[in-house]
Amino acid sequence: MEKKKYQICNRCIMDTTDTKIVFDEKGNCNHCNDALERAKTIWFPNDEGEKKLKTIVEEIKKTQKNKEYDCIIGLSGGVDSSFLAYKVVQLGLRPLVVHIDCGWNSELAVKNVENIVKKLNLDLHTHVVYWEEMKDLQLAYFKANVANQDVPQDHAIFSALYSYAVKKNIKYVFSGGNFSTECILPQSWGYNALDYKSLKAIHKIFGTRKLKRYPHVTFFKRYIYFPYIQKMKIVRLLNLIPYNKDVAMELMENELDWQYYGGKHHESRFTKFFQAYYLPHKFGYDKRRAHLSSLIVSGQISRKEAIKEMKQEIYPNNSHKDDLDYVAKKLGVSPIEFEKIIASPNKSYSDYKNNEWLFKLGFKIRNKYF
């Protein structure tokens, strides 16, 4: 059988595995074009960013000086959140570190978290998501046959972190989300992890137990209660400094005994399997393409280097079997049953009830009036 040919962007490496991609007359795609346009308003790896960050830090130190902690950060043990913790301490702030354990941490990730809080002398709060409910929800998502298998973890992490900030009366949340490594991610490859209506709908059909202890957040809480009633502010520090992934990793290896785990978000064995096998095998797209395209746009690697890296197999010679068996066992099904679930017809998030219209309306109002 002749291998299917895909059109690829002339600037980044996004291609027509994203069925909604659009190319301009120069052969550049909408993803890198849009990212470069957004960069003008959100990305400041220069003197302007330094000034903006200085103003924010001074405000935090002034208004939060009488509190035990002046900010909060989530720490996974991955590159972005680990370097964020390092920079926050460098700035003289007093963060509370929160680690959300969803049951899939690699040993390296746990060791990274331990080393960072010890080396930086930080207080750590670990929130362990009740495994029986997490397991039930994640298996429900697989049975729903949707692409966005990262929703159960992402939703729980966001909800637990922000809820703990409210509990400790912390107004400033430092986020590891950043333009440099995440400026490109096609909407057609996933769905909003914060849509609790979508999560509930999938679990109602395919779940087997009630979610009594699973941390969750509603649209009202995220977009009204947190920012306007609790006056909570999100600071994306990495957008205000010259953040280079390779430089950050080398620094952390030398100063924090931090160790690399092999790929973006691969600090979780589940996420490695989901991104490196499930998505390419079942839906035909590889998230590395978006991750590397982000690095191209932010000037961290060349297009030639990205193409070369895409040729490397994460699971050569069917070595995915070990992780597939591991994930299946943790979810309480046999590998054979799990493979049958994965082989079922693909579905979209839109096949289930959701609040997409509400999110679109909310973003439209925010962009127009705020």
Side-chain angles (χ1 to χ4, degrees), residues 129-130 133-134 137 151-157 159 193 196 199 211-216:
V129 180
Y130 182 50
E133 292 182 4
M134 174 59 79
L137 179 59
V151 166
Q153 289 192 81
D154 287 352
H155 190 99
I157 290 169
S159 177
Y196 187 51
L199 184 149
L211 301 179
K212 295 181 178 179
R213 296 161 62 178
Y214 174 80
H216 66 273

Side-chain angles (χ1 to χ4, degrees), residues 34 53 95 127 169 197 219 231 236 243 269 273 324:
D34 291 347
L53 183 57
H127 179 102
N169 192 29
K197 182 176 182 179
F219 180 90
K231 307 294 184 183
R236 290 184 170 82
Y243 175 49
R269 197 167 176 183
F273 171 77
L324 186 148

Side-chain angles (χ1 to χ4, degrees), residues 255-321:
E255 297 192 24
L256 303 177
D257 293 335
W258 183 91
Q259 296 182 63
Y260 189 44
Y261 38 82
K264 188 169 178 65
H265 299 313
H266 288 187
E267 64 268 30
S268 161
R269 197 167 176 183
F270 171 87
T271 307
K272 179 185 177 183
F273 171 77
F274 153 63
Q275 291 192 357
Y277 177 77
Y278 178 87
L279 290 179
H281 175 77
K282 185 172 174 63
F283 287 89
Y285 58 79
D286 190 332
K287 271 196 171 182
R288 286 183 303 167
R289 196 167 286 280
H291 298 154
L292 292 169
S293 291
S294 296
L295 296 178
I296 293 171
V297 169
S298 61
Q300 298 192 43
I301 61 172
S302 68
R303 186 174 182 274
K304 185 177 180 180
E305 289 171 324
I307 291 173
K308 183 179 179 181
E309 188 162 337
M310 284 298 299
K311 292 178 180 178
Q312 298 180 14
E313 291 186 64
I314 297 177
Y315 286 126
N317 303 318
N318 290 322
S319 57
H320 72 278
K321 285 287 294 178

Side-chain angles (χ1 to χ4, degrees), residues 9-28:
C9 176
N10 285 336
R11 182 192 287 125
C12 68
I13 61 168
M14 288 303 300
D15 65 8
T16 44
T17 53
D18 169 22
T19 57
K20 295 184 179 180
I21 197 171
V22 177
F23 299 94
D24 63 19
E25 65 281 357
K26 296 180 181 179
N28 297 329

Side-chain angles (χ1 to χ4, degrees), residues 34 39 58 71 85 164 208 213 229 232 259 297 341 346 354:
D34 291 347
E58 287 176 351
C71 61
Y164 204 73
T208 61
R213 296 161 62 178
I229 298 176
M232 196 178 293
Q259 296 182 63
V297 169
I341 292 171
N346 293 353
N354 61 75

